[in-house]
Amino acid sequence: MHQTKSLWVITWLVCLSIACQQPKSSTSNTSPQTTTPTTTIDTTPKVHEIVISGTEEEGNTTVTYEGETEDKPTALSLDSISPPNIIILLPDDLGWNDVSYHGSKISTPHIDQLAKDGIELNRFYTYHSCTPSRVGLLTGRYPGRLGIRHVFFPEIKGGLPEAEETLAEFLATQGYKRRACIGKWHLGHSNVKYHPLNQGFTYFYGHYGGSVDYFEHKRYEKLDWHRNFDPSYDEGYSTNLITREAVQFIEESPTNEPFFLYLPFNAPHNPLQAPEEYLNQYGFDKNKAIYSNSEIIASKITEHFQRGQGNTKRQTYSAMVSSMDAAIGRILQALEDKGVADNTLVIFFSDNGASETDGGNNRPLRGKKGSTFEGGLRVPAIVKWPNGFTGGRKEETVMGYVDILSTIRGILNVTTPPTQPLDGINVFPILRGDTTLTDRTFYLSKLGLTTQKWKLAHNKLFDIENDMSESKNLAKKEPKVFAKLTAQLKELSSQIEVDSIPIDRSYKLKDEWKMQDN
Ligand SMILES: [Ca+2]
């Protein structure tokens, strides 16, 4: 026990020292440099070519575009940077092959533009399912450390513990007066103590649980749509409502103080429902039958779900993604119109990989949502902040969801220790191009971890740098690497994973998903 605790303290100190590492160009840097290997990142324009082996339906696709560094705004010096507005765009269950910049047939021009203007994070990892991924994002800690490895379904009591300091609570201490959560919460609905407004946010609009009907805003026949603590009877497609609120929030924010806008879209998670104008983009034929979704019928939440269904799952899913892409375009345009785009840090990533039974596609990655193979947790991810770092490139360094909080702490130059030890590191120096980190071990779940070169998943070893599809298990060919990583995983897992919080399925939903206040 004592040894385990000592190891944990050492691990944390190492993480903290990396997290506190300042970029080389910082004039106020007084913290010691770590021994992390440091090299210069090549920022010359690159030609990216991705070949995706598609399904029979989609065929193979080759996408080529040239990184354009010469026309990009140049990042400011660190001394000139002021705290940025922060927007987190978090699609739900968007797969690797569901954005056109990865070669998908799904059209996502606004997300593609964000990738061209910002930095593509090519090795960005999350947890492999919705709730734990949001826990890691908002606390900067592995969800296993909190005993949360499950999803807060409607009948489950519990939520994100109040003792955890969320990103919103942290930003409240840093002069961010306006902190909105607009979209899908999914971090507890059985008691008002789990409400976003009691977890650091100053404004909430959207739904508490998952799988809400996109048009009726119901789950289990009860309205799950809210503005702050009150039910909302707003009508419309949820992606559009979320977007309207987000744009309004941006428009109403004063320009002389930074805001935080957390936008967890419910799209393109099931139920699969899309506006007809977007279905039409994908060849929707009203006179043909709509698809039959047996899983949704089995889950007893059927009666409203006919609306917005296309002829096939993939068609419907594609339309949902394009609708969300248009929404993202409107939100980014609102930043431009307000004149605050240059000093807004935009973070985009999917909360986990796609569920391929629900229309998504992770190709050429192996596995899907729920798996520690790449398809479950290596996600499309982009960051953009014109004042903070130069865009137009692709970053290969391993990073992930638990790094967001540490990175924002680094950007704001906060050196006071966090209330709880964080698992993430500050990747801002990497985004600045001032350093690289090549020897990181990133813990994924009890079943896997990854380094820059090697990935251990489901008791198999892959050269992930050269085999992103995890097609060749090298456990026997590289027994020493396999043994080392297996031992590392065992050690990390014993340090990180605590017993699950008791999963109590006795919660009876109140009308309009009203949270209990005692
Ligand atoms: Ca999800």
Side-chain angles (χ1 to χ4, degrees), residues 265-300:
F265 290 97
N266 56 324
H269 193 290
N270 73 29
L272 300 185
Q273 297 173 282
E276 195 166 319
E277 63 179 294
Y278 290 98
L279 286 171
N280 290 339
Q281 276 188 25
Y282 294 91
F284 177 55
D285 186 341
K286 273 185 187 174
N287 299 317
K288 287 187 183 167
I290 59 168
Y291 71 85
S292 162
N293 193 332
S294 56
E295 294 112 298
I296 288 175
I297 290 166
S299 68
K300 301 177 188 168

Side-chain angles (χ1 to χ4, degrees), residues 92-93 130 351-352:
D92 196 352
D93 290 13
C130 306
D351 72 331
N352 50 255

Side-chain angles (χ1 to χ4, degrees), residues 55-117:
T55 57
E56 198 174 327
E57 184 184 335
E58 292 208 319
N60 288 356
T61 309
T62 302
V63 175
T64 306
Y65 67 85
E66 191 172 324
E68 299 165 5
T69 53
E70 63 278 14
D71 296 330
K72 303 298 172 197
T74 306
L76 300 178
S77 73
L78 287 175
D79 292 339
S80 314
I81 286 177
S82 57
N85 304 308
I86 299 168
I87 298 187
I88 299 178
L89 303 164
L90 191 79
D92 196 352
D93 290 13
L94 182 73
W96 185 265
N97 191 23
D98 296 329
V99 285
S100 37
Y101 79 91
H102 279 173
S104 176
K105 290 272 174 78
I106 299 179
S107 173
T108 56
H110 299 98
I111 298 171
D112 299 352
Q113 189 63 44
L114 186 66
K116 286 181 184 175
D117 294 342

Side-chain angles (χ1 to χ4, degrees), residues 404-424:
I404 302 296
L405 181 46
S406 293
T407 300
I408 290 171
R409 288 176 64 87
I411 286 170
L412 300 177
N413 211 15
V414 176
T415 53
T416 51
T419 57
Q420 306 263 34
L422 303 179
D423 287 310

Side-chain angles (χ1 to χ4, degrees), residues 116-128:
K116 286 181 184 175
D117 294 342
I119 301 176
E120 258 187 77
L121 304 177
N122 203 38
R123 293 285 304 278
F124 190 91
Y125 292 92
T126 62
Y127 196 78
H128 54 61

